[in-house]
Amino acid sequence: MRVADFHFDLPESLIARHPLAERRASRLLQLDGPTGALRHGQFTDVLEQLRPGDLMVFNDTRVIPARLFGQKASGGKLEVLVERVLDQYRVLAHVRSSKSPKPGSQILIDGGAEAEMVARHDALFELRFAEPVLPLLERVGHMPLPPYIDRPDDEADRERYQTVYAQKAGAVAAPTAGLHFDDELLAAIRAKGVETAFVTLHVGAGTFQPVRVERIEDHHMHSEWLEVGQGVVDAVAACRARGGRVVAVGTTSVRSLETAARDGELKPFSGDTDIFIYPGRPFHVVDALVTNFHLPESTLLMLVSAFAGYPETMAAYREAVAQGYRFFSYGDAMFITRNPAARGPEV
């Protein structure tokens, strides 16, 4: 399969650079995978798609203010984007500067903080801060808005680039399908008899990296840390026993569940995943998916195509563009039922 098969033309005007006034105000394009049928509506129509006995699985990761600005001790300006918190004082980070800092060099962070460059690990830099990392980031860090939101972050992003159920700090990008849910909608979902469960996957900046190979099969995914607990495994088993469907909220929830079920059986899992789901790869757990619209030629669009079928997915995207849906993190959403006969691009 070729990466170019997953290209589509997207007008700049459809990239959502700001959130709507209300989380639930987004539109919802509903795609029935088995038939390819499309239905337009509002995000609150997700309630109509859900049935009593279903299980919704959310990713409860919390986005940290992972972007820092500062300078080297020599005076050169730089930007730090934390990729992963290693312990109380150390992180792995991307560092943008005219000249890369060397091991042992000091970094002065705007707002009053210091770090030492300890070592380089391929494209990432290991930094050690002089004070605990997470409180430091809360004090002087900026929300790490995706590269296609080409504006500085503002105070509103601290709340809106975060799900209302975010619990476990560690992501540097939001699990964006969850941004549409507010407390009132979550209460209505539970009142309908739909169960909920939470996995954790700390989304990394690699989620925005372009696929730089021609053949999909040659691509290697970046690693992200996740946890699927025994409670989630039990909830899925109970859902299956009562005839309900497992509805994943976001591709990160899909990747979490399918990582924990890689051998065909869902088991508790904690650790790194580099799972890459593209057309032809099986799904062992997820029956339906809530997800935003994804970048052209991205691994996330490939995952959706594996779930709904390539022709059905690309047709839905063409319709979304034609109907003026808002794209990417702050954009609109889809509700997709899995296509058991999903096909990839024609050879």
Side-chain angles (χ1 to χ4, degrees):
M1 267 176 287
R2 298 178 309 132
V3 173
D5 291 330
F6 294 85
H7 179 78
F8 64 92
D9 292 323
L10 181 69
E12 278 278 318
S13 60
L14 295 186
I15 298 174
R17 290 174 170 82
H18 295 272
L20 298 175
E22 293 185 15
R23 290 178 180 269
R24 57 164 63 194
S26 298
R27 296 165 71 189
L28 184 71
L29 179 59
Q30 297 146 77
L31 168 59
D32 182 65
T35 66
L38 294 171
R39 181 179 163 200
H40 301 283
Q42 295 301 121
F43 190 78
T44 47
D45 294 338
V46 75
L47 277 169
E48 297 176 20
Q49 292 282 351
L50 298 171
R51 309 167 190 159
D54 285 347
L55 172 70
M56 292 196 89
V57 181
F58 298 86
N59 180 7
D60 66 2
T61 188
R62 185 171 187 81
V63 182
I64 56 177
R67 180 166 280 121
L68 301 166
F69 297 95
Q71 60 186 46
K72 293 178 282 189
S74 61
K77 291 192 177 299
L78 51 72
E79 177 184 331
V80 173
L81 178 62
V82 174
E83 172 73 20
R84 183 178 297 205
V85 176
L86 297 174
D87 58 32
Q88 191 176 9
Y89 294 95
R90 294 181 308 127
V91 304
L92 285 177
H94 304 268
V95 177
R96 289 176 57 187
S97 63
S98 58
K99 203 170 180 181
S100 296
K102 291 183 167 52
S105 62
Q106 294 298 118
I107 296 173
L108 307 175
I109 304 296
D110 293 353
E114 292 184 26
E116 177 190 353
M117 204 289 256
V118 177
R120 184 163 185 172
H121 307 280
D122 297 323
L124 296 173
F125 295 79
E126 182 181 337
L127 307 180
R128 181 188 293 116
F129 289 88
E131 59 186 284
V133 172
L134 291 177
L136 179 154
L137 293 175
E138 289 296 332
R139 179 168 57 86
V140 301
H142 295 259
M143 288 302 272
L145 296 179
Y148 47 73
I149 298 181
D150 47 3
R151 63 172 175 83
D153 65 310
D154 57 35
E155 195 56 37
D157 294 313
R158 287 255 175 167
E159 185 236 340
R160 291 304 303 275
Y161 195 60
Q162 197 83 269
T163 64
V164 298
Y165 47 81
Q167 288 289 327
K168 298 172 183 172
V172 301
T176 55
L179 298 179
H180 305 281
F181 294 86
D182 56 23
D183 290 327
E184 188 180 347
L185 182 56
L186 290 170
I189 287 168
R190 294 186 180 105
K192 189 167 182 175
V194 176
E195 300 291 323
T196 57
F198 294 89
V199 297
T200 305
L201 185 147
H202 291 324
V203 192
T207 192
F208 303 117
Q209 290 296 314
V211 179
R212 292 190 171 94
V213 295
E214 288 188 14
R215 294 176 66 253
I216 287 172
E217 295 85 351
D218 296 332
H219 178 66
H220 297 288
M221 287 287 285
H222 59 286
S223 290
E224 294 168 312
W225 185 89
L226 71 86
E227 184 168 35
V228 176
Q230 183 65 50
V232 176
V233 176
D234 294 343
V236 169
C239 175
R240 292 275 183 256
R242 63 178 176 260
R245 300 171 303 165
V246 176
V247 182
V249 177
T251 56
T252 59
S253 295
V254 174
R255 295 182 70 239
S256 298
L257 292 168
E258 298 299 334
T259 293
R262 255 179 161 162
D263 63 358
E265 179 186 353
L266 184 64
K267 300 172 185 173
F269 179 92
S270 180
D272 282 359
T273 184
D274 62 357
I275 191 170
F276 182 19
I277 301 173
Y278 55 86
R281 294 300 177 97
F283 290 85
H284 300 296
V285 183
V286 180
D287 303 303
L289 168 64
V290 180
T291 187
N292 278 23
F293 292 96
H294 303 294
L295 290 162
E297 302 185 10
S298 65
T299 60
L300 303 182
L301 179 56
M302 294 166 195
L303 183 153
V304 173
S305 297
F307 191 78
Y310 172 81
E312 293 81 1
T313 298
M314 300 308 285
Y317 269 59
R318 287 192 294 271
E319 177 69 4
V321 169
Q323 296 298 324
Y325 277 73
R326 302 165 73 248
F327 273 67
F328 308 154
S329 295
Y330 277 147
D332 295 316
M334 296 183 73
F335 185 98
I336 307 170
T337 51
R338 186 169 68 85
N339 180 358
R343 293 183 294 118
E346 296 295 334
V347 178

